[in-house]
Every structure is written in C-alpha cells, then in structure tokens.
Amino acid sequence: MSVEVTPPRANPALVGQDAAERTLLSAWNSGRLPHAWLLAGPRGIGKATLAYRFARFVLAQRPADEAGSGAGLFGAEPAPNRQPGLALGSDHPVFRRVAAGGHADLIVLEPGMIHPETKKESAESVVDHVRAAIAFLGMTPAEGGWRVLVVDHAEEMNTSSENALLKILEEPHARSLLLLVSHAPGRLLPTIRSRCRRLDMPALEPGVVATLLSRCVTDLKPEQGAALSVLAAGSVGRAIDLLEAGASEIYEALREVVAARDGAGLAMHALAERVGMFGPEGQASFRAFREVALHLASACARCAAGAPVVAALPAEARALPALAASGTGRWLAAWDELRRLAAATEGLNLDRRQSVFATLSALRDAAGQGRG
C-alpha cells in the first residue's frame, strides 16, 4: 500500500468545499474583494488547496480585466467582471508556474522555510520572512495584474512576525491579496483576525473523506477507508495520518479490551507496548490511540443519550448498545478524563504506556467492566 498526496499548490481538485469556493467567487464578482482573507477550519480539509486555487484564479486574470474586479477597493468602483468559476486546468500556464513555485507575482510563507540566520529549516515564519513578503507586495506586479501572499499555517508565526504582518493588513497595497490559512485561528493576534475577512470551512463528510482516500492510497480496502473516514472526523489529512499509524487495527484492539468481561490484563499490556513506545513512530501510534479512544467514548455517550452515531466498524455498531448501557453520565465523565490525560501526558511528558493503561481503565470503568 502506498500513499501519494498532491501538495496543495499543485492540486487541481477541491472536493467538499463548494460553499467556501462560491463565497470567494462571489466576492470577486462583486467588484469589492476584501484584501485579506482568513481561511479557518480543521486541518486537512482543503483550506490550503482552496487558497492556491483562488491565488491561481486571481493571477490568471488579464490586466485589462482588472478594471472590472476587486480593484473597486482602491478607486472608483467599476462594473463587475463576473467570472464563472475559480478552477484552472492543470495545463494552464499559471497553474503550472504556481505548482512549480515559479510565479513572479506569488509569494508563500509556510513551515520549513530556511531561517535567514541559522540557514536551517524553520517551523515558523520569522519576522524577516514577513518583511520580505511585505516588500514583495509593495512592488509593481511583474505581469501587470495582482500580487498574492499565501501564509500557510499562519498560527505558526511568532509575535514579531504577526506584528510585522499587521502593517500590510492595515495599509494594503493596490491589487494585493493576502490569504491566511489556519487550523488554529485563535492563536493569531485578535488584531490580525479583525483585519481579515474570515471564511470558516467545515469538516468533510465521511463519504467525501473516503472518496479522497481512495484516490491517493493504493490498494485501500473499502471497509478500511470507511473506518478511517469516520475516525478522522472529516479531515482527509488526518485520515492519512491515522492510516499510516495503523489506527484501524489499534481501534479494533482497543474496542476488544474495553468490551472484554474479564481477563483483559494481557491485552491491555500488549496494546500499551504497541502504542506506548518512544520515538516518532511511537508518537504517531500514541496519538492515533488517543483519537480512537476519544471516538469510542464519544460514540458510547451519544448512543447512551439516544443520539445518532456513525460507527467506524460493523463490530463497533454491534457492540455500542452493550457498552453504552452504563449511561450517558459515565461516558461523558470518561471523555473528560481522556482529554485530561492527553493534556497531562503531552504537557508533563509522562510515560505513554502508563497513559495508555489509565485510558483503558477509564474506558472499562465507564463500560462497567472494572479493571480486568
């Protein structure tokens, strides 16, 4: 099984975000395009893909066309130049140049850029990166149209970078467009959020996630794709992470431990050894374990309350009524306890295996199974 993911700058397909795309197109067609947008929502739902889709669209407009577009912000409002859609074909010259990172009127800030002082990759956009972007936006567009700045993972900017970015948000240049992409917009300065038009993008439907998974993962079994689409809570990016961490198998093992009437001790030890190891691989497995544990607690709480539940696996659907019989209150308490354990394990760097034992014990207690 292999995973092939097209990076957002080269991805021609945007699935499940039609409403967000229509919002951007409507703003363009209105002739009063806001100069800065904040695309917000869960990770892995297409925010960056939409940002590049819109950037390509804007960059592809001929200079003569711009008299009828968002330029109305910076002078007398012209008659709108209505466009039917944002998509450009992958053979379009603008698409190819953006995909290759070679368009003269597009600049991107994202994690992994080379730090100007250390000359190493940086996890955050530093102030020198932002200042260079501001200078770029102030130049005359090389192709006579617009200049576009995409800030991916905008919440990773440090405070100095955010303060520098405020300057261009407060005093935008004519025909400059800023697209900030963030899955944690609350971490941005309130002054930045207030100067952007916010576009909240929803999590994807499970069917959409399953479809996208099937496109980028070879030999993916339909039942595995269906399970991952539910466990990922609407994020195809997270679904791929869960796939690589073996989440489906981890979830089945966890569910069996929680449902076991007695003699679960050996299975608990085996699962703790599997997902509690140190190192990057262990971290991915542990995070997958935490997520599927929270999914089970949430599913049981919803089932106990009589709310609709989308099961990840057929076996889960059959087991839920018995597990949820202990009542909504116990499962809600377990869900809260699991969140507390996750925060403590990360914040205090606790032993992952002990955290796994505590999580399994909390789930078994909620199901009325005792500690096995």
Side-chain angles (χ1 to χ4, degrees):
M1 182 181 299
S2 63
V3 180
E4 297 182 3
V5 180
T6 304
R9 68 165 62 240
N11 191 353
L14 180 71
V15 182
Q17 298 294 353
D18 295 346
E21 184 172 7
R22 286 195 299 270
T23 297
L24 292 174
L25 180 60
S26 176
W28 174 270
N29 285 335
S30 72
R32 300 187 63 82
L33 180 70
H35 71 278
W37 291 78
L38 173 58
L39 308 185
R43 187 174 69 87
I45 61 169
K47 300 186 303 297
T49 298
L50 177 59
Y52 282 105
R53 191 181 186 92
F54 191 39
R56 291 192 298 260
F57 169 84
V58 172
L59 294 170
Q61 304 307 308
R62 298 187 307 275
D65 291 341
E66 301 304 320
S69 67
L73 279 175
F74 305 106
E77 183 176 351
N81 173 31
R82 299 193 177 277
Q83 301 291 327
L86 296 181
L88 298 183
S90 57
D91 59 344
H92 193 288
V94 171
F95 187 104
R96 293 200 300 267
R97 279 183 285 155
V98 170
H103 197 290
D105 288 326
L106 173 67
I107 189 169
V108 178
L109 301 181
E110 58 188 347
M113 298 177 65
I114 301 301
H115 194 287
E117 295 180 0
T118 65
K119 307 303 179 184
K120 297 180 180 179
E121 289 188 0
S122 174
E124 62 183 9
S125 298
V126 299
V127 67
D128 286 344
H129 294 148
V130 176
R131 287 171 178 162
I134 292 173
F136 169 87
L137 292 177
M139 298 177 184
T140 301
E143 300 187 17
W146 288 63
R147 288 216 146 183
V148 180
L149 166 62
V150 173
V151 185
D152 200 0
H153 291 76
E155 69 280 350
E156 298 298 337
M157 288 187 294
N158 57 33
T159 302
S160 297
S161 300
E162 289 186 88
N163 285 325
L165 188 65
L166 272 175
K167 179 179 180 181
I168 198 67
L169 290 173
E170 293 170 344
E171 301 175 3
H173 297 292
R175 297 188 182 182
S176 66
L177 176 64
L178 286 77
L179 301 173
L180 279 63
V181 177
S182 176
H183 63 266
R187 289 168 53 185
L188 292 168
L189 291 175
T191 44
I192 285 184
R193 299 198 302 269
S194 67
R195 286 166 173 78
C196 296
R197 166 79 179 272
R198 180 161 170 165
L199 179 55
D200 288 299
M201 298 172 61
L204 301 171
E205 294 294 329
V208 174
V209 176
T211 298
L212 293 172
L213 273 177
S214 67
R215 293 179 183 178
C216 59
V217 181
T218 59
D219 301 324
L220 181 71
K221 297 178 180 179
E223 60 272 19
Q224 191 176 23
L228 290 168
S229 68
V230 174
L231 294 173
S235 166
V236 68
R238 189 61 194 140
I240 292 173
D241 290 344
L242 290 173
L243 171 67
E244 294 176 336
S248 297
E249 296 80 5
I250 292 172
Y251 185 51
E252 183 60 21
L254 178 145
R255 188 194 60 76
E256 290 178 356
V257 167
V258 175
R261 290 293 180 184
D262 50 32
L266 290 177
M268 291 174 69
H269 276 279
L271 187 55
E273 288 298 321
R274 175 178 179 177
V275 304
M277 67 184 78
F278 289 98
E281 183 180 349
Q283 185 178 42
S285 297
F286 179 68
R287 287 180 176 174
F289 169 80
R290 287 189 328 197
E291 292 193 30
V292 299
L294 282 168
H295 168 81
L296 180 61
S298 174
C300 287
R302 291 179 63 82
C303 183
V309 179
V310 179
L313 300 166
E316 176 194 3
R318 294 190 294 269
L320 279 179
L323 293 176
S326 54
T328 307
R330 294 183 72 165
W331 281 108
L332 287 176
W335 188 82
D336 283 336
E337 175 65 9
L338 264 56
R339 288 175 59 87
R340 185 195 67 77
L341 277 170
T345 303
E346 288 287 337
L348 301 176
N349 196 27
L350 301 180
D351 188 302
R352 292 173 184 164
R353 287 170 294 186
Q354 292 301 317
S355 179
V356 172
F357 274 113
T359 296
L360 293 174
S361 296
L363 290 172
R364 285 182 56 78
D365 285 345
Q369 308 289 41
R371 296 183 181 269

